[in-house]
Amino acid sequence: MLFSRALIPTVKEAPSDANNVSHTLLVRGGYIRRVGAGMYDFLPLGLRVLKKVEGIVREEMDRAGALEILMPALLPADYFKESGRWDRFGDTLFRVTDRKGADLHLGPTHEEIVTDIARREIRSYRDMPRNLYQIQTKFRDEPRPRGGLLRGREFMMKDAYSFDATEEGAKKSYDDMRAAYMRTFDRMGLTYRLVAADSGAMGGSTSAEFQILADSGEDAIVACDSCEYAANVEVATVKAPPAAASGAAPAALTKVHTPKAKTIEEITAFLKLPASQMLKSLLYVAKDQVVMAVVRGDHDVNEIRLARALGVDEVFLASDADVTKATGADVGFAGPVGFKGRLLVDRAAAAVENAATGANASDHHYTGVSRGRDYEGEVVDIRLATTGDLCPACDKGKLKSYRGIEGGHIFILGTHYSAQMGATYLDEAQQKKPIVMGCYGIGVSRLVATAIEQHHDENGIMWPMSLAPYHVHIVTVGQDEAVIGAAKSLYHGLWSDGVEVLWDDRDERPGVKFKDADLLGIPLRVTIGAKSLAGGHVELKPRSERDPKKAELVPVGEATERVARMVHEALAPAPRASRTSVLPG
RNA sequence: CGGGGCGUAGCGCAGCCUGGUAGCGCACCUGGUUCGGGACCAGGGAGUCGGAGGUUCAAAUCCUCUCGCCCCGACCA
């Protein structure tokens, strides 16, 4: 592609609504443009990258034996009504009404639709296993779209669904998908962790997320530094600390005046105590009931675990008014001592002796608080795992925290949908049984942004070869005839070797071209200028090399072959040894 | 949905408080000089000031309503 004929509208200034690197660089590089909240145009370059992601996903799905189909994005409400999700999906579902007044919606995911295919077409155990997938635009009316391509209201997703006769079969399908996903993410050059995850509202059992590591990620995960345990903090457990009695002499319960010391930081500074000697008391609303959750001052409450401990679907942090009502004090002075109401105490918090905590009276705290004597409560595991915690899976490891972006999610659904929707088959014994399903998603358009989150520097994007819109970026300096001639020959030579080339043939100053080249992030740059060409050379520099002086001089005659070889080597499947994933047990 | 903020030229913003001729940078067009890391000079085109209503001699500016968007919290590929 000639730059002079392309539509690559680069801009110097970051868009005002961008708040992360990938969004900024995608817009600045002329890859995408925003159309509305969570809706984007893919300009030519952006579409090329999207298709690269799609292509890798498709190849690996096909390799794993999955069968590509395409279901409608516009769907009648019947299916979701049948499964109950028409109501349960809530506001996230984009609902539309047709001219006859019938309820329709735009598909956010397709379990019901694909289950309908299964119940009509799969009748025998001999028809399984099968795995059907599609790569399709999905619609979700997100409460808050953000991060450009990271969370849109319309986005591209690959969703696959497996159908098996037995649980064991489903497990095999699941394992196959896991392997296919690892290959997929490996080929995209992404660093990720495979983590245990909350199976959420989908009603699954076994489930894992592919978390692409990025500081800007929305998800917090922990991984063991010694074994292969890794989990979303939502579900991560921690080993209970050894119940070693501190031997400290029990202190008397003392009420101290702590004016305006509301946060843990303020109180620890005021009382000169480590946060681990503090008890943090938070009030939650669970089904109209206000409960108190107590964790150590240096820990955080895991709301999912708390909800589970309470036997409810979800909990919400109580409003300031509710806190005051329940404790009789301003927010910041709640504590377990004398609290009238359901009290849940984390294991680590319960073990703290002579603790300091709110006194349920404004501007006052207690010190010398110990469980058993000063308060009781139910001891449960309700805290978020964090760096330094003991690994629950092995003896010696400690957990370390990471941020991640969910790039894929695999799980076994079991017979949830099939039983509900009557997707059954006959087994060898003529018994009618529900099909055992699994489902597997990859956020295709999200991965475009995710790759940038992992591969960029202050000057722009640094695409992995497998995702780059073009493999090679030729920059010609000046309009000298010899330069143009050499560029033409290289350009055509590379294309006929299967290398995708962008040639910046514009009549621009070199600085402009170099800046744009860095911004676009095409992995290999070949600069052709009169000076080096007079010596019979062109200059080759990978985007990852920041120092322009380190460009390699390559004899013109060898350039085509040399560059083509580099591209093809970079595209070859990565050896297994270079994998960066961690497998949970 | 709760809290905060923003809608002014294609993009990024100032002007609003204290009403009176709509401005700056980038981008774009013309001419010239430049030409290996986002050049310079001169000239030029381009805006229903998000929308509706109101106050006023006069509204980008004040008031009311409305739409859209962004950011911080509860959801997810």
Side-chain angles (χ1 to χ4, degrees):
Chain A
M1 172 54 74
L2 298 182
F3 206 128
S4 62
R5 299 294 197 87
L7 180 63
I8 306 175
T10 59
V11 288
K12 291 180 189 171
E13 284 178 289
S16 64
D17 57 349
N19 57 352
N20 62 355
V21 186
S22 61
H23 190 186
T24 300
L25 292 179
L26 282 167
V27 172
R28 285 197 52 216
Y31 285 84
I32 63 169
R33 287 292 185 263
R34 200 184 69 93
V35 173
M39 298 172 275
Y40 291 87
D41 289 322
F42 281 81
L43 298 184
L45 240 39
L47 184 61
R48 288 186 70 94
V49 177
L50 184 72
K51 288 198 173 292
K52 293 287 177 86
V53 175
E54 262 186 50
I56 292 173
V57 168
R58 182 173 284 115
E59 278 180 31
E60 294 304 331
M61 291 303 291
D62 290 348
R63 187 200 305 273
L67 308 161
E68 185 168 8
I69 61 172
L70 185 59
M71 294 179 270
L74 178 66
L75 299 162
D78 310 19
Y79 300 93
F80 268 50
K81 283 180 176 168
E82 189 176 352
S83 72
R85 286 210 212 159
W86 180 255
D87 295 320
R88 265 189 296 124
F89 229 96
D91 293 333
T92 305
L93 199 58
F94 268 112
R95 296 159 206 266
V96 289
T97 309
D98 71 11
R99 62 171 73 205
K100 290 180 290 196
D103 287 332
L104 305 170
H105 73 278
L106 300 174
T109 174
H110 283 68
E111 280 81 3
E112 287 85 347
I113 322 304
V114 81
T115 303
D116 177 62
I117 293 177
R119 73 178 162 191
R120 283 186 286 143
E121 319 300 345
I122 296 180
R123 301 183 189 96
S124 155
Y125 68 96
R126 294 177 205 221
D127 297 332
M128 293 181 281
R130 289 292 185 276
N131 186 321
L132 302 177
Y133 80 98
Q134 61 174 350
I135 296 174
Q136 188 202 36
T137 303
K138 295 284 193 250
F139 300 87
R140 291 187 193 174
D141 193 355
E142 290 287 343
R144 192 146 78 82
R146 71 185 114 182
L149 257 31
L150 286 174
R151 174 177 299 281
R153 294 199 289 179
E154 171 176 328
F155 58 97
M156 199 63 77
M157 175 168 148
K158 187 284 302 178
D159 47 326
Y161 307 89
S162 65
F163 304 93
D164 282 276
T166 62
E167 287 287 342
E168 305 79 70
K171 182 70 171 64
K172 168 78 165 58
S173 296
Y174 175 87
D175 289 342
D176 288 349
M177 278 295 107
R178 184 170 71 176
Y181 273 37
M182 291 196 292
R183 286 189 61 97
T184 302
F185 292 117
D186 286 347
R187 284 182 60 186
M188 292 180 190
L190 297 170
T191 302
Y192 61 92
R193 291 288 183 279
L194 181 47
V195 308
D198 184 38
S199 39
M202 306 282 186
S205 49
T206 305
S207 141
E209 290 170 349
F210 284 77
Q211 287 284 352
I212 320 288
L213 300 186
D215 292 338
S216 58
E218 292 181 329
D219 293 324
I221 62 178
V222 289
C224 178
D225 60 10
S226 167
C227 76
E228 300 200 321
Y229 180 79
N232 192 305
V233 289
E234 290 175 351
V235 298
T237 52
V238 296
K239 190 175 283 181
S246 64
L253 183 68
T254 313
K255 193 173 192 175
V256 295
H257 187 53
T258 52
K260 290 191 191 137
K262 295 183 172 195
T263 65
I264 292 292
E265 289 75 40
E266 288 162 358
I267 301 158
T268 52
F270 186 89
L271 296 173
K272 298 195 170 47
L273 280 172
S276 56
Q277 268 312 113
M278 289 284 312
L279 299 183
K280 181 153 66 181
S281 310
L282 298 161
L283 288 139
Y284 281 90
V285 177
K287 281 208 175 130
D288 302 335
Q289 186 194 10
V290 175
V291 302
M292 182 180 283
V294 179
V295 293
R296 230 166 63 181
D298 55 337
H299 290 156
D300 290 305
V301 172
N302 180 333
E303 298 186 357
I304 289 181
R305 300 188 76 83
L306 176 63
R308 216 159 279 170
L310 288 164
V312 298
D313 287 340
E314 47 188 351
V315 294
F316 303 95
L317 209 50
S319 66
D320 290 3
D322 284 341
V323 172
T324 307
K325 203 169 134 200
T327 64
D330 290 345
V331 174
F333 301 98
V337 181
F339 176 71
K340 292 179 285 294
R342 189 155 176 199
L343 179 62
L344 297 184
V345 185
D346 182 67
R347 296 178 306 190
V352 180
E353 297 173 337
N354 300 333
T357 188
N360 295 327
S362 295
D363 295 336
H364 285 85
H365 280 75
Y366 281 123
T367 59
V369 176
S370 293
R371 197 179 100 86
R373 186 189 67 186
D374 305 315
Y375 70 96
E376 288 293 338
E378 306 157 48
V379 177
V380 286
D381 179 9
I382 51 166
R383 75 180 176 87
L384 239 28
T386 185
T387 297
D389 279 335
L390 297 175
C391 175
C394 71
D395 289 333
K396 45 190 177 181
K398 284 196 173 166
L399 299 180
K400 189 166 171 356
S401 298
Y402 299 90
R403 305 288 309 176
I405 298 167
E406 189 179 359
H409 198 156
I410 54 177
F411 51 103
I412 297 180
L413 288 169
T415 56
H416 182 81
Y417 291 95
S418 52
Q420 205 157 25
M421 296 181 63
T424 57
Y425 68 95
L426 285 185
D427 68 8
E428 296 95 319
Q430 306 273 326
Q431 293 293 309
K432 201 187 227 190
K433 289 185 173 164
I435 297 171
V436 186
M437 293 173 54
C439 78
Y440 318 91
I442 289 181
V444 172
S445 46
R446 170 181 282 183
L447 287 179
V448 173
T450 305
I452 297 174
E453 293 289 332
Q454 277 193 356
H455 301 287
H456 68 271
D457 65 12
E458 64 282 3
N459 295 316
I461 303 170
M462 302 164 81
W463 291 115
M465 189 64 78
S466 59
L467 301 184
Y470 293 95
H471 303 131
V472 176
H473 190 144
I474 298 177
V475 172
T476 43
V477 175
Q479 301 293 327
D480 186 277
E481 246 176 66
V483 167
I484 300 302
K488 250 183 204 161
S489 147
L490 178 62
Y491 179 80
H492 292 298
L494 285 172
W495 273 108
S496 49
D497 276 355
V499 174
E500 300 162 3
V501 193
L502 175 68
W503 172 13
D504 193 344
D505 61 331
R506 293 176 300 170
D507 185 15
E508 283 286 355
R509 299 163 62 84
V512 172
K513 294 189 176 191
F514 292 141
K515 286 289 183 188
D516 274 345
D518 285 350
L519 179 58
L520 295 186
I522 292 169
L524 289 176
R525 188 178 89 193
V526 178
T527 306
I528 307 179
K531 274 184 240 165
S532 51
L533 192 61
H537 296 99
V538 297
E539 300 154 52
L540 174 62
K541 187 187 87 62
R543 173 63 181 82
S544 53
E545 172 54 62
R546 287 147 193 259
D547 185 356
K549 293 193 188 71
K550 292 201 179 144
E552 184 190 349
L553 288 178
V554 176
V556 197
E558 298 168 20
T560 304
E561 197 212 323
R562 178 72 198 291
V563 172
R565 184 157 22 93
M566 286 176 75
V567 170
H568 290 128
E569 278 170 11
L571 288 173
R576 302 305 280 170
S578 75
R579 271 222 348 263
T580 47
S581 57
V582 170
L583 301 174

